[in-house]
Amino acid sequence: MYAIRRSPHVVRLAFRHSGHLGKRFHSYETAYAEKIRQRSLQTGLSVEELRLKAREKLKEEQKAAAASLPSFNPPEIPSTADKPSTRPQTRKDGSPIKPLSDILRLTRVATATPEQVSALWTAYHASRSEGTGRGYLCAAIPVNLYNKMAKIGETHPTFVVPLPRPDMEEPTNPDKTNHEFFYMEWGFHHSPPVPSPNEDPFAPTPQNQSPNPRVSTVLFTPLQEYKLRNSFATPYLILTHYTDLVESHGIVLLRGEISPTVAGGSSEARFMLSQEDAQQLAMATQKFYLWGEKDGEVEGERLLTTFHSKPEEFSWQDLLKAYNKTI
């Protein structure tokens, strides 16, 4: 599994188990225990009665929110009767894949260790946006984990991910947290050649098929916008998995790009997502597509398969429960 580490604005996804996430709601209760007691004195109700009342109110709000959710037919996988290929169709608005050779000098990287490549990848993205690193995520993913996710992404290329939105009046109250849904979509592209330390511009290019896996992208678009504009909707976050170094180094380089609200790359540019929001969406990729890594992901596997095989049985409330367990 991979968790998240900051440095200082760019977000790097590091590979380790994270055991602190489940403590999030407990910290809220501890911080606001005094506030709850004061409320108890004001209303004449016990603390337990206040909690029961809050739970009942939350259930009513969840039912109302579920009833207001627009109908959505999740995956529309092309029929094999129409096309013989079963590959997922890529989005028309997906940005062109920027070659890894335009970012790193692969002839130099070819002789570096995986650890050196990972450090260089992080340092490069930390230097973006005039040294702030804003608007980018990055990671060096072990190939065995990437292969697991990509294999599931090929057969289950779409899903919907909730993103928590704090209540305007009580932003620290988890019981009043709302959610914005994002439509995520995998796309698979070419298999890049294995980089060589040979810098001879006249050296012949290998004509045999590359042993590297295909480069992939994952697009995240607000569900409401996707429903209105479909393939013309603007993705807020684009994850690109560069597989150029799989055969030589055993790693996949992840590059996450947050779409800016305006053209240009000045340090003052605002982005369509915060670094924290982009971080949570990126982590959802492993939560729902990295099966079998730990017991907590079993529910994610069930939800994803139901979303594709039995969409009429897909439960929005079950999705929120599973997502909030570890996010």
Side-chain angles (χ1 to χ4, degrees):
M1 300 297 292
Y2 49 92
I4 294 178
R5 188 164 67 230
R6 265 187 190 286
S7 170
H9 290 290
V10 65
V11 176
R12 180 187 178 192
L13 306 182
F15 292 81
R16 58 179 175 80
H17 288 280
S18 57
H20 66 283
L21 295 171
K23 302 177 181 177
R24 178 175 179 178
F25 293 117
H26 176 73
S27 63
Y28 281 127
E29 186 175 352
T30 302
Y32 291 92
E34 181 61 30
K35 190 174 181 180
I36 292 174
R37 285 194 291 270
Q38 291 177 2
R39 181 64 176 171
S40 175
L41 293 174
Q42 293 173 358
T43 61
L45 299 174
S46 67
V47 172
E48 186 61 31
E49 287 173 333
L50 283 175
R51 288 175 176 170
L52 290 174
K53 188 175 180 180
R55 291 193 188 103
E56 291 175 358
K57 184 178 179 182
L58 177 61
K59 289 180 180 179
E60 292 176 359
E61 291 177 350
Q62 288 177 337
K63 289 180 180 179
S68 64
L69 284 172
S71 59
F72 177 62
N73 298 323
E76 295 183 3
I77 301 177
S79 171
T80 54
D82 299 329
K83 294 184 180 181
S85 174
T86 58
R87 290 183 180 180
Q89 301 301 302
T90 57
R91 285 268 292 276
K92 293 180 180 179
D93 67 336
S95 63
I97 303 299
K98 184 177 184 178
L100 184 61
S101 58
D102 285 359
I103 304 174
L104 299 177
R105 292 190 63 179
L106 294 181
T107 53
R108 298 290 182 87
V109 170
T111 58
T113 66
E115 292 75 18
Q116 290 172 331
V117 173
S118 178
L120 179 62
W121 190 243
T122 300
Y124 170 82
H125 287 92
S127 69
R128 300 299 89 191
S129 300
E130 299 184 1
T132 67
R134 291 188 180 95
Y136 293 94
L137 310 178
C138 68
I141 307 175
V143 64
N144 63 314
L145 296 185
Y146 171 76
N147 285 339
K148 289 182 179 180
M149 292 191 296
K151 182 178 179 180
I152 299 169
E154 288 182 315
T155 57
H156 302 74
T158 57
F159 195 53
V160 178
V161 178
L163 196 60
R165 295 301 188 202
D167 182 76
M168 296 295 292
E169 295 182 356
E170 299 184 45
T172 58
N173 187 346
D175 292 335
K176 289 193 174 183
T177 298
N178 301 306
H179 292 85
E180 180 181 8
F181 291 94
F182 279 74
Y183 185 69
M184 68 177 293
E185 185 174 13
W186 284 77
F188 292 86
H189 311 279
H190 65 284
S191 296
V194 178
S196 169
N198 191 342
E199 296 191 56
D200 183 0
F202 300 102
T205 302
Q207 297 300 315
N208 58 312
Q209 185 177 4
S210 172
N212 285 325
R214 289 184 293 166
V215 173
S216 67
T217 53
V218 183
L219 308 183
F220 291 89
T221 309
L223 178 57
Q224 291 297 336
E225 183 170 344
Y226 186 81
K227 285 173 62 64
L228 291 173
R229 303 183 64 191
N230 294 312
S231 61
F232 294 100
T234 301
Y236 280 24
L237 173 66
I238 301 175
L239 302 181
T240 302
H241 298 102
Y242 287 103
T243 58
D244 305 56
L245 303 179
V246 165
E247 184 69 15
S248 58
H249 292 71
I251 58 175
V252 173
L253 296 181
L254 168 66
R255 174 184 172 92
E257 297 174 84
I258 307 172
S259 298
T261 55
V262 294
S266 69
S267 60
E268 300 300 323
R270 293 184 177 273
F271 295 91
M272 291 183 172
L273 287 174
S274 67
Q275 294 289 126
E276 291 76 12
D277 286 346
Q279 163 187 332
Q280 292 198 39
L281 290 177
M283 292 299 291
T285 306
Q286 67 161 317
K287 180 173 181 61
F288 295 104
Y289 285 86
L290 194 54
W291 298 352
E293 288 301 307
K294 67 176 186 178
D295 294 338
E297 309 308 326
V298 174
E299 185 65 11
E301 176 182 349
R302 184 189 68 80
L303 286 165
L304 182 59
T305 54
T306 302
F307 184 82
H308 281 262
S309 61
K310 298 178 181 179
E312 69 281 357
E313 298 180 9
F314 182 76
S315 170
W316 296 95
Q317 296 305 321
D318 287 348
L319 173 64
L320 293 178
K321 290 178 182 178
Y323 188 81
N324 288 329
K325 282 180 181 178
T326 56
I327 297 299

